Amino acid sequence: MAVVFDRPQSLVDVPTHFCPGCGHGIVHRLVCEVLDEMNLTGDAIGVAPVGCSVMSYNYFGCDMIQAPHGRAPAVATGAKRVNPDKIVFTYQGDGDLAAIGTAETVHVGTRGENIVIIFINNTTYGMTGGQMAPTTLPGQITQTTPFGRNTETAGHPIRICEMMATLSGVALAQRVAIDSVPHIRETKKAIRKAFENQVAKRGLSIVEVLSTCPTNWGLSPDKAMNFVREQMIPYYPLGVYKDKAAEEEAAK
Amino acid sequence: MEKMQVRFERCKGCGLCVSACPKKLVVIQKEKRNEKGYFTAVCSDQDACISCMMCAMMCPDCAIKIEK
Amino acid sequence: MKGNEALAEAAIRCGCKCFFGYPITPQTELSAYMAKRMEKAGGVFLQAESEVAAINMVLGAASTGVRAMTSSSSPGVSLKAEGISYMAGSDLPAVIINVQRGGPGLGSIQPAQSDYFQATKAVGHGDFHVMVYAPCSVQEMVDAVTLAFDKADEYRVPVMILADGLLGQMMEPVTFPEPKTELPDKSSWAACGHKNERPHNIVNSLFLDAPLLEAKVKERFERYKLIEENETDAELYMCDDAELVVTAYGAAARVAKSAVTKARAEGIKVGLFRPKTLWPFPVKELNEAAKNAKKILDVEMSMGQMIYDVKLAVECRIPVEFFGRTGGVIPTPAEVYDEIKKLTGGAQ
């Protein structure tokens, strides 16, 4: 009998602090599987900003930098510019990337910074107990939208991939999800493409992963996956919004 | 000869593997709690398991190892 | 050479490998000079989208073990406060330049010294200090940058150079040190890719376990004690028999020096104490300067901030008077001279 599935090498063998059924754990594993397969861990530098995933500096087996809230893209820019041969990636939540860090997100896109952004969209601020995020759906109940998000007063959720796709420096903007095994396979492929883009110096790659937050959604892990499927995907259509590599391929 | 091995201490009993298994073999056993107090997943029929890895791919805690 | 440009050139010669800036008067020439020179010198120049992004780029670069620098002016430094606190909390060396301007708010673009508290007492949240150098000439700015990079690496702390618009904009002859080639090896802690040859390094300031955070902070304060014992520096001018000591730093000290020289020429026993390091504040040196003093006159381009450290240093044994102009108004030697006369009743 041969082992056909086991913990990736670059995922540190420690229990995680994530809640049971939280999508972060899945995406962490996928990133590490890609780092293993592309043998990048020794040259990788990860940036973990504030959020549930800040503790990822204990889980990713590459060198890690903890960044202030929203500033991971800037920290990654600094690290990448002075180490162009290293592989730099950020792992950010929606509050971090699409609220406080919006400017940093847009500008690594306009600059075509050669880094990878793993963006976890779970429509909430998990670490602080489930407040409204820029990606909270209309009508969705959160700690700061107790009567459901009223778009008149609390605005509309932001679609990051569509926005980033308009920026010339972006090489890949793709939205995926982890609500089912086929979607998880798709997520891994996207993450792989992102890191390949960085190796080929094509510019910024951002992979937006629709994920779950069972605790703050007040749903079982299973029902949380259904929420992604039935509520989130319709508002945040999955797919590739920009792929320079594919465009180059097609142009040939 | 276990095709689906669950790391007892790492499982958080979230149940994602239960719904992911195409053969509906995975269950949450209620006899014993792990150190963290979770009831953990277990494969109810190792022979029927086809090592498709879907449970392991859904697991957020890398608690499942598959052999074939 | 112009002050702002001398600061930039000095940094390049010290092996500074990257500069992240954002335009703000009165320090913009520094960024412009870096834009011209840095890349040719094999380094990275990048204008960030904001001062917040700029300080975080410094944090990212410094985390990988590279000498990094940023510069700004008062409002920009306020924006960098959080980033500087994170860098102090992650024990990251870097050089941050503040070419001060009138404040608060948008304030004015003329020189001022009203960021003294910010620089020496509370750059950002949490128990920490940054070393603060206060040059008062273009040559001293070059020397300060050279020292700042070395001390930042030695003690693993951010170091601030507190200049002002006057120093930044004026031109004076200057000589540069030889370019530094060998730089300290920081791979023991830096996050620069472990090449699968060592455990992964984590540059981090988050410690949810309170006793662990306390231990980290206390260890840092051990280093601060070393800095306080070894790194203070000041200029004592005609203080030996001075009955009145004028305390001033940076541009204000240049003005005060003229006034002191004039008063001395008329037989008034007055001297000037000029701290070159604002944190650590040169307490020993001030007490040495004021050993015969009956009064102290503190002169600043603000409403009086360093005056607290002066009083603390002499433990209020000696009365400390104040004269200052703020908002970007520069005091004149004549004004300071009049204050000296008032306090010493003219020549005895």
Side-chain angles (χ1 to χ4, degrees):
Chain A
M1 285 262 285
V3 174
V4 288
F5 190 97
D6 199 358
R7 160 185 295 281
Q9 256 286 323
S10 52
L11 188 64
V12 179
D13 192 0
V14 290
T16 68
H17 72 293
F18 297 122
C19 305
C22 168
H24 274 308
I26 299 170
V27 184
H28 271 55
R29 190 191 71 240
L30 297 179
V31 171
C32 288
E33 283 172 2
V34 169
L35 288 177
D36 281 2
E37 284 155 23
M38 295 177 71
N39 195 15
L40 295 175
T41 316
D43 290 312
I45 301 169
V47 181
V50 175
C52 281
S53 57
V54 67
M55 300 298 211
S56 64
Y57 60 65
N58 288 324
Y59 309 143
F60 288 129
C62 56
D63 279 356
M64 293 295 293
I65 305 169
Q66 189 263 318
H69 195 30
R71 314 309 171 196
V75 170
T77 299
K80 180 71 177 184
R81 286 291 180 111
V82 292
N83 299 282
D85 55 346
K86 298 296 182 207
I87 298 299
V88 179
F89 68 96
T90 72
Y91 185 102
Q92 303 175 251
D94 35 20
D96 187 84
L97 180 137
I100 189 171
T102 316
E104 280 76 7
T105 305
V106 166
H107 284 277
V108 279
T110 53
R111 287 195 302 266
E113 216 62 57
N114 222 323
I115 59 172
V116 166
I117 292 182
I118 307 293
F119 164 40
I120 306 299
N121 174 354
N122 58 10
T123 76
T124 187
Y125 283 83
M127 184 182 217
T128 43
Q131 291 71 29
M132 179 190 88
T135 48
T136 295
L137 298 176
Q140 187 175 352
I141 291 175
T142 72
Q143 274 216 330
T144 43
T145 57
F147 312 110
R149 180 175 190 173
N150 174 355
T151 52
E152 300 305 315
T153 52
H156 297 264
I158 187 170
R159 294 187 177 95
I160 287 291
C161 270
E162 290 82 339
M163 178 180 83
M164 294 299 280
T166 65
L167 303 174
S168 48
V170 172
L172 175 72
Q174 181 170 352
R175 182 177 296 120
V176 287
I178 45 104
D179 62 308
S180 66
V181 173
H183 281 165
I184 288 176
R185 286 205 174 90
E186 199 49 40
T187 300
K188 180 173 176 180
K189 265 199 237 118
I191 293 173
R192 169 95 195 202
K193 235 190 308 184
F195 279 97
E196 279 166 357
N197 278 342
Q198 178 164 172
V199 172
K201 295 190 175 22
R202 290 204 184 89
L204 179 74
S205 301
I206 178 164
V207 177
E208 177 179 353
V209 185
L210 301 185
S211 183
T212 59
C213 185
T215 302
N216 289 310
W217 290 354
L219 295 171
S220 71
D222 227 14
K223 292 207 172 54
M225 291 297 183
N226 297 342
F227 182 84
V228 171
R229 210 167 296 134
E230 288 143 15
Q231 307 288 335
M232 288 177 70
I233 291 180
Y235 191 90
Y236 298 109
L238 304 184
V240 177
Y241 291 85
K242 186 160 190 194
D243 187 343
K244 257 189 196 159
E247 285 158 19
E248 282 161 14
E249 212 50 49
K252 277 194 189 108
Chain B
M1 189 271 290
E2 281 193 348
K3 297 179 194 164
M4 186 266 203
Q5 296 149 30
V6 177
R7 289 175 74 169
F8 182 67
E9 284 314 323
R10 282 293 162 77
C11 174
K12 293 176 182 168
C14 74
L16 287 177
C17 49
V18 173
S19 46
C21 177
K23 299 282 182 188
K24 295 303 163 211
L25 301 174
V26 184
V27 294
I28 303 291
Q29 54 81 18
K30 296 283 186 341
E31 284 87 37
K32 202 161 163 292
R33 292 178 188 277
N34 68 11
E35 220 175 58
K36 288 249 176 74
Y38 294 116
F39 286 121
T40 62
V42 70
C43 176
S44 56
D45 182 349
Q46 288 285 353
D47 297 332
C49 168
I50 57 170
S51 302
C52 72
M53 302 186 284
M54 289 178 77
C55 58
M57 291 181 74
M58 278 309 282
C59 176
D61 293 279
C62 265
I64 299 175
K65 183 166 149 186
I66 305 290
E67 293 195 14
K68 196 167 189 175
Chain C
M1 196 171 199
K2 185 177 254 196
N4 279 335
E5 292 175 344
L7 284 166
E9 184 58 34
I12 292 173
R13 289 177 184 234
C14 293
C16 172
K17 279 288 170 279
C18 53
F19 174 83
F20 304 101
Y22 190 83
I24 182 166
T25 305
Q27 66 71 61
T28 315
E29 295 88 349
L30 201 159
S31 299
Y33 186 89
M34 282 296 195
K36 280 192 292 244
R37 270 279 288 144
M38 186 53 112
E39 242 141 63
K40 289 206 190 77
V44 167
F45 165 80
L46 181 54
Q47 181 176 305
E49 59 269 29
S50 72
E51 285 97 343
V52 175
I55 191 70
N56 279 288
M57 291 175 186
V58 169
L59 187 151
S63 296
T64 69
V66 159
R67 282 189 161 184
M69 183 167 100
T70 184
S71 77
S72 188
S73 176
S74 310
V77 178
S78 296
L79 285 174
K80 295 183 177 182
E82 185 202 32
I84 295 170
S85 175
Y86 269 73
M87 290 179 66
S90 311
D91 295 317
L92 286 174
V95 173
I96 300 129
I97 296 180
N98 180 0
V99 182
Q100 297 174 91
R101 57 189 266 171
L106 193 48
S108 68
I109 58 168
Q110 293 84 356
Q113 297 181 325
S114 34
D115 303 349
Y116 179 91
F117 280 156
Q118 178 189 52
T120 59
K121 301 286 180 280
V123 180
H125 62 281
D127 282 321
F128 76 96
H129 289 288
V130 294
M131 288 177 74
V132 182
Y133 287 104
C136 86
S137 69
V138 176
Q139 184 58 52
E140 274 199 359
M141 288 163 102
V142 168
D143 305 340
V145 166
T146 313
L147 207 54
F149 274 110
D150 289 343
K151 294 304 171 188
D153 283 343
E154 183 183 341
Y155 294 103
R156 281 184 65 188
V157 290
V159 177
M160 179 178 284
I161 292 174
L162 198 59
D164 59 64
L166 187 144
L167 294 170
Q169 296 298 339
M170 74 180 178
M171 300 185 92
E172 277 178 341
V174 67
T175 52
F176 287 98
E178 275 315 301
K180 208 163 173 71
T181 45
E182 23 65 48
L183 296 173
D185 167 30
K186 303 174 186 172
S187 53
S188 63
W189 56 265
C192 50
H194 54 53
K195 287 267 176 232
N196 305 316
E197 285 150 9
R198 56 165 168 76
H200 72 278
N201 284 339
I202 304 172
V203 173
N204 166 50
S205 63
L206 172 69
F207 303 97
L208 287 177
D209 169 33
L212 178 57
L213 177 58
E214 180 180 51
K216 286 272 173 189
V217 173
K218 282 190 169 169
E219 181 275 325
R220 202 166 295 127
F221 270 70
E222 287 306 315
R223 274 182 274 141
Y224 291 154
K225 211 151 85 241
L226 283 176
I227 294 174
E228 282 171 321
E229 280 152 13
N230 304 306
E231 303 301 340
T232 59
D233 191 7
E235 179 196 358
L236 279 66
Y237 174 71
M238 297 192 200
C239 288
D240 296 345
D241 63 344
E243 287 166 7
L244 168 67
V245 169
V246 177
T247 56
Y249 73 93
R254 297 173 71 101
V255 169
K257 198 167 205 175
S258 318
V260 164
T261 310
K262 184 167 182 243
R264 261 290 173 181
E266 295 164 6
I268 299 174
K269 289 198 169 94
V270 61
L272 170 70
F273 169 78
R274 178 173 71 88
K276 295 164 81 172
T277 59
L278 301 182
W279 194 86
F281 190 78
V283 173
K284 284 199 298 317
E285 293 85 340
L286 174 54
N287 282 292
E288 169 57 27
K291 60 181 182 302
N292 300 320
K294 298 194 190 65
K295 278 186 193 148
I296 293 177
L297 170 62
D298 177 65
V299 175
E300 292 177 64
M301 286 152 57
S302 71
M303 295 304 286
Q305 297 186 15
M306 185 175 77
I307 189 167
Y308 291 83
D309 281 337
V310 170
K311 289 182 175 178
L312 269 174
V314 297
E315 290 156 7
C316 300
R317 288 193 317 277
I318 308 164
V320 181
E321 305 300 331
F322 174 72
F323 174 75
R325 302 300 302 265
T326 192
V329 172
I330 302 168
T332 64
E335 285 172 326
V336 177
Y337 171 77
D338 290 347
E339 289 303 313
I340 292 173
K341 295 277 279 187
K342 240 186 277 170
L343 290 173
T344 54
Q348 263 72 28

